[in-house]
Amino acid sequence: MNKTTLAMLKELTEAHGVSGFEEEIQSVIKKHLPSGTKIEYDRLGSIVCKKEGVKGGPRIMIPGHMDEIGFMVKFITDQGFIKFSQLGGWPDQVLLSQRVVIRGSKGDVPGLIGSKPPHFLTAEEQAKVVKKEDMFIDVGAKDKKEATEQMGIRVGDPIAPESPFGTLKNWQLLVAKAWDDRVGCALFIEVLKALQGRRHPNAVYGVGTVQEEVGTRGGQTCANVVEPDICLVAESGIAMDVPGIKPEESQGKLGGGPMIYVLDGGMIAHRRLREFVVGVAEKKKIPHQFGLLERGATDGRPVHLHARGVPSIFIGVPVRYIHCHAGIIDAGDFDHTVSLMVETVMRLDAKAVRSIGGE
Ligand code: CO
């Protein structure tokens, strides 16, 4: 992985963009797009980035969602503590004492997720996970007036985790928040860059969608903008190569290459498209692994059901500790995923797309 890509991943993951509040991510994407990319939008804040190879060629959509899971201000107590709602699915046990940033009307306000101190819990309470409803964000305000008037916090303000980008001792292992799905945004940007100056037999649409984590909403509207013939969903996969997981629960591991999902909670990979993609990986000797996710969906769900149906597949960069404050990816897996997507795109000509769609 080169330094430019590393710097872009840092910028994308550190940016603040929970579901419904993706503007900052949209501007980071625009900054990194290759010149000559044509830009369109839906009306919810998604961005559609087009690179045409040949006129009238098949339309290949590569959606990566811009939103990350986060929170929203729900209520401000008289003492100046912030009660919150979640945007996307957070497990309760990863939240306590994490740092967050509230994007208020007077700028960003740092805070910490707190709860009743452990010393004051009964033995029964200590044995249980503290529920989100019993947590609050401490911004250090002395009362409601300071939180609202001085700090500018209002009901409805978005809240994102604070979690700086870094690496482990092995610099190839990258640690950040929001890999789900800034890694997907980075994937389509890199694919568009790799296609610069190359003839490809189609038009490629890298799409930064909004509100995926609350029900794949931008994926639905963007399918109408793109009218795709094929969809390669650029996502985070789930690496489960950690203690406590049985091999049959997940095959995804860091360093194993892109995860090709045969099934998720919203879509079965299109059989012929799956064979096509696996064939490309085998031919180009790109390491890859299969994934199967019984719960949870991607933007593939609305896209593959668009119009008369769009052959679609979900391809993920394996991430450890997804839907937490920080996760780990392997830079090599990212690079291999870009290669797999680029090589697939190069072969998706009108004839191939017709035979996959099987009309
Ligand atoms: Co995702």
Side-chain angles (χ1 to χ4, degrees):
M1 176 173 290
N2 63 43
K3 286 213 173 94
T4 319
T5 308
L6 263 182
M8 178 178 74
L9 286 172
K10 173 176 161 65
E11 207 177 333
L12 277 168
T13 53
E14 287 185 347
H16 191 297
V18 301
S19 308
F21 299 85
E22 297 89 348
E23 297 90 340
E24 190 176 318
I25 318 309
Q26 200 193 82
S27 52
V28 177
I29 290 174
K30 278 200 229 167
K31 183 177 148 191
H32 291 278
L33 285 173
S35 60
T37 308
K38 289 208 184 83
I39 295 176
E40 267 185 276
Y41 303 94
D42 70 353
R43 293 190 189 127
L44 299 183
S46 307
I47 180 168
V48 176
C49 317
K50 178 184 179 184
K51 161 78 172 62
E52 194 165 58
V54 295
K55 275 224 147 37
R59 304 151 84 87
I60 316 299
M61 177 170 176
I62 308 181
H65 63 92
M66 296 190 288
D67 59 319
E68 66 189 294
I69 56 169
F71 314 94
M72 184 184 261
V73 176
K74 180 178 173 181
F75 183 79
I76 302 156
T77 70
D78 288 341
Q79 297 83 8
F81 292 100
I82 314 301
K83 299 292 284 182
F84 56 88
S85 289
Q86 65 174 348
L87 293 170
W90 281 99
D92 293 329
Q93 66 269 27
V94 303
L95 293 180
L96 277 186
S97 65
Q98 295 289 1
R99 290 165 196 258
V100 294
V101 175
I102 303 175
R103 186 145 286 181
S105 59
K106 295 186 176 167
D108 287 351
V109 182
L112 194 64
I113 300 180
S115 74
K116 207 160 100 177
H119 311 77
F120 294 90
L121 299 177
T122 62
E124 198 191 339
E125 281 175 323
Q126 279 204 29
K128 282 196 210 133
V129 174
V130 179
K131 290 208 173 63
K132 277 177 216 79
E133 304 86 88
D134 299 324
M135 300 179 194
F136 47 81
I137 296 168
D138 185 343
V139 291
K142 60 178 189 298
D143 53 25
K144 183 172 183 170
K145 194 167 171 324
E146 187 179 353
T148 54
E149 290 175 22
Q150 266 105 292
M151 297 183 178
I153 300 170
R154 300 161 304 184
V155 170
D157 284 344
I159 307 165
E162 166 82 14
S163 182
F165 178 93
T167 74
L168 295 181
K169 190 82 175 162
N170 171 356
W171 75 267
Q172 288 259 80
L173 299 178
L174 314 178
V175 182
K177 72 170 174 69
W179 287 123
D180 181 10
D181 187 26
R182 304 294 155 67
V183 76
C185 300
L187 284 171
F188 74 69
I189 294 169
E190 290 294 320
V191 169
L192 291 169
K193 280 188 181 170
L195 295 174
Q196 276 299 89
R198 289 179 77 176
R199 274 184 66 81
H200 51 100
N202 42 43
V204 173
Y205 297 77
V207 182
T209 61
V210 296
Q211 301 186 38
E212 192 268 359
E213 295 289 358
V214 291
T216 61
R217 298 173 188 169
Q220 185 167 342
T221 52
C222 288
N224 291 303
V225 177
V226 176
E227 296 289 348
D229 295 302
I230 293 281
C231 177
L232 309 173
V233 181
E235 261 284 6
S236 46
I238 302 185
M240 298 274 266
D241 49 339
V242 294
I245 301 292
K246 295 193 211 96
E248 67 265 32
E249 288 180 278
S250 172
Q251 307 169 51
K253 61 171 198 280
L254 286 193
M259 294 180 73
I260 298 171
Y261 276 85
V262 295
L263 172 91
D264 64 60
M267 182 174 81
I268 297 166
H270 187 276
R271 188 177 62 79
R272 285 192 293 263
L273 178 59
R274 181 183 104 191
E275 280 165 14
F276 189 87
V277 171
V278 171
V280 171
E282 283 169 354
K283 186 160 187 253
K284 300 304 287 185
K285 301 199 166 48
I286 299 168
H288 57 283
Q289 43 192 343
F290 290 106
L292 195 152
L293 191 64
E294 286 162 351
R295 279 175 302 154
T298 72
D299 278 330
R301 173 170 60 185
V303 176
H304 89 294
L305 297 176
H306 178 70
R308 288 194 289 170
V310 178
S312 302
I313 193 159
F314 153 22
I315 301 176
V317 174
V319 181
R320 276 191 197 157
Y321 321 118
I322 210 159
H323 286 213
C324 289
H325 237 68
I328 305 172
I329 71 160
D330 181 312
D333 289 334
F334 178 84
D335 292 341
H336 286 308
T337 310
V338 174
S339 306
L340 178 59
M341 289 191 162
V342 171
E343 294 298 338
T344 300
V345 163
M346 292 305 290
R347 287 163 180 76
L348 282 170
D349 57 15
K351 190 170 161 234
V353 169
R354 254 195 322 272
S355 74
I356 289 168
E359 282 178 33

